Amino acid sequence: MHKGAISRDGVFRALTEYDELGQDGFLSKYGYKPATGYLLLHGDRTYDSKAIAGVAHKFDQGRALRPDELVGGRSHAARWLARLGFTIRSSRSPDWTRDEIILACELAMANGWKRLEFDDPRVIELSALLQTMPIHPEELRNELFRNPNGVARKTVDITSRHPDYTGKPTNGNALDVDVMNDFLARPAEMTEVARRIRQGLDSGEFQDLPPAAEEDDFSAPEGRLLLGRHRKRERNKALRKKKVDAVLRQGRRLACEACGFDFEQVYGDRGAGYIECHHVVPLHEAGEGRTRLSDLALICANCHRMIHRRAPWPTPGELRASIEQKHADDRRAAGVLARPRSAADERRDVGGAGSGGR
């Protein structure tokens, strides 16, 4: 059976029929269930996006799509409608990110790892702060997004996983436990992380950070926002140039401070002058004062990735030490393999085989 494109006119005709029949009548007529993922916003009303897209197909292609022919998520029906210029909004709040859980954990710790209620002034204040976070796009936020009830519920999810909690844990997620364990292990440091996030939100500093899609597989135990600020500093062309100039004035090569890789030596003119710049100051301290050249390290792209791959982040010096240790281990292993076998080695092998056969 043919499945084709839908048009804005087809969507408007489906919306009109929806208004005439009402939600229950419209969904029943075409066999659809209420939307659980995304809603279409038009005027002051919301509509079941999957059903609207499926019925719009009738006006453009001669037949409505069955529910099993259409996926309602952002990859299908919601995307069709968004491409036609309609506003799509999630019908449920997005998952909590590490940054958000850090702030909720800070609040739970300040309350003695006890749950907080929705009408607690601290919960209301955190709710308002979370709604300013530039992490979740507007189309994923619904009218309940990070409201006081949701924030209070998150403190329950966190505190019910505390080691001293004696009741039955709620159905939180693994990230709640990870962040809580970070607070238990490093309370002063994680409190400072939370303070940095709050400070950045209050000042609006995070509003112009690169979107999450640019982060690739870089990870940050302190959260996405501080990572974004960290990487923004690393991309500061003026700082990088000053660091490169300082190295060249000292008569040194532009070689990786971790592995020694020299782009010009390997790639010739194409690699001349190229090196990446890494900000070695921990993320939770990165807001202090001005960046000094001693805070920066010149490293190759591979080592830059390895440093950011997972926590704890090694310094370039620590990464260099691990590289040197790996090389030493490899040389030692190669030496053992290349060593001529002695008569004692042969006797040990024979004896071991014999004893194993008993």
Side-chain angles (χ1 to χ4, degrees):
M1 299 177 71
H2 177 71
K3 184 191 297 185
I6 62 175
S7 68
R8 284 181 60 85
D9 181 66
V11 172
F12 283 127
R13 294 174 69 180
L15 293 174
T16 298
E17 184 174 355
Y18 189 107
D19 290 338
E20 292 172 351
L21 298 177
Q23 181 188 36
D24 292 342
F26 185 85
L27 297 180
S28 176
K29 178 178 178 179
Y30 294 102
Y32 282 85
K33 295 179 180 179
T36 58
Y38 296 91
L39 298 172
L40 184 155
L41 274 64
H42 181 63
D44 59 352
R45 298 193 59 182
T46 59
Y47 300 81
D48 302 86
S49 59
K50 180 179 176 180
I52 291 295
V55 175
H57 192 270
K58 176 180 74 171
F59 297 108
D60 289 304
Q61 303 297 337
R63 72 175 185 91
L65 293 176
R66 299 190 309 272
D68 62 354
E69 294 182 280
L70 190 61
V71 177
R74 297 185 74 183
S75 64
H76 204 174
R79 184 175 64 179
W80 281 4
L81 296 167
R83 283 179 173 176
L84 292 172
F86 292 96
T87 300
I88 304 299
R89 177 157 294 180
S90 175
S91 61
R92 56 176 178 264
S93 290
D95 292 339
W96 283 64
T97 64
R98 186 177 184 88
D99 303 70
E100 295 171 302
I101 297 173
I102 286 172
L103 297 183
C105 263
E106 178 204 25
L107 181 55
M109 184 175 72
N111 199 48
W113 295 109
K114 299 292 190 289
R115 64 177 291 172
L116 292 99
E117 300 300 330
F118 74 95
D119 55 354
D120 187 304
R122 295 169 295 176
V123 169
I124 296 172
E125 183 271 336
L126 179 55
S127 169
L129 186 67
L130 293 174
Q131 290 171 14
T132 70
M133 271 193 171
I135 291 181
H136 303 289
E138 285 298 321
E139 66 267 20
L140 295 184
R141 304 179 182 216
N142 59 23
E143 62 276 7
L144 301 179
F145 176 75
R146 302 299 182 257
N147 68 359
N149 279 314
V151 174
R153 173 67 189 190
K154 178 53 66 174
T155 69
V156 175
D157 291 339
I158 293 168
T159 57
S160 71
R161 300 300 186 94
H162 191 275
D164 295 338
Y165 186 77
T166 57
K168 181 180 179 181
T170 61
N171 294 324
N173 59 47
L175 194 53
D176 296 338
V177 179
D178 288 345
V179 177
M180 180 189 68
N181 287 337
D182 284 340
F183 270 89
L184 294 176
R186 305 177 286 146
E189 182 177 329
M190 292 305 294
T191 298
E192 179 63 12
V193 169
R195 191 182 78 80
R196 291 283 180 214
I197 294 175
R198 284 177 170 273
Q199 182 184 58
L201 291 171
D202 288 339
S203 67
E205 181 182 359
F206 296 137
Q207 295 300 324
D208 60 346
L209 291 179
E214 292 188 14
E215 292 175 11
D216 301 320
D217 59 348
F218 281 53
S219 62
E222 289 89 346
R224 180 188 302 173
L225 295 176
L226 291 186
L227 172 62
R229 183 171 66 187
H230 185 87
R231 293 188 69 196
K232 185 177 180 182
R233 289 185 175 217
E234 291 180 348
R235 292 168 176 168
N236 186 319
K237 294 180 180 180
L239 277 177
R240 178 189 173 279
K241 185 177 186 305
K242 288 181 181 179
K243 180 69 176 181
V244 167
D245 289 345
V247 170
L248 293 177
R249 280 197 304 271
Q250 296 167 8
R252 294 158 51 199
R253 295 184 302 124
L254 291 184
C256 176
E257 295 181 28
C259 73
F261 186 87
D262 184 325
F263 284 89
E264 183 175 15
Q265 190 176 73
V266 174
Y267 297 108
D269 290 343
R270 179 175 288 274
Y274 182 80
I275 194 78
E276 294 192 4
C277 192
H278 171 62
H279 197 284
V280 298
V281 179
L283 297 187
H284 64 279
E285 299 174 7
E288 291 287 358
R290 300 179 61 182
T291 300
R292 299 165 298 181
L293 294 186
S294 58
D295 295 333
L296 304 173
L298 299 181
I299 57 178
C300 71
N302 282 345
C303 288
H304 205 175
R305 286 274 174 156
M306 290 300 100
I307 286 174
H308 280 291
R309 189 179 183 198
R310 60 174 176 261
W313 289 6
T315 64
E318 290 168 341
L319 186 62
R320 180 174 63 250
S322 69
I323 292 171
E324 292 171 350
Q325 183 62 53
K326 174 67 167 59
H327 289 169
D329 292 343
D330 289 346
R331 287 193 297 269
R332 190 161 42 250
V336 170
L337 292 175
R339 189 185 68 189
R341 293 177 61 79
S342 65
D345 291 331
E346 298 290 347
R347 285 195 298 273
R348 275 196 300 272
D349 288 348
V350 172
S355 62
R358 292 192 185 112

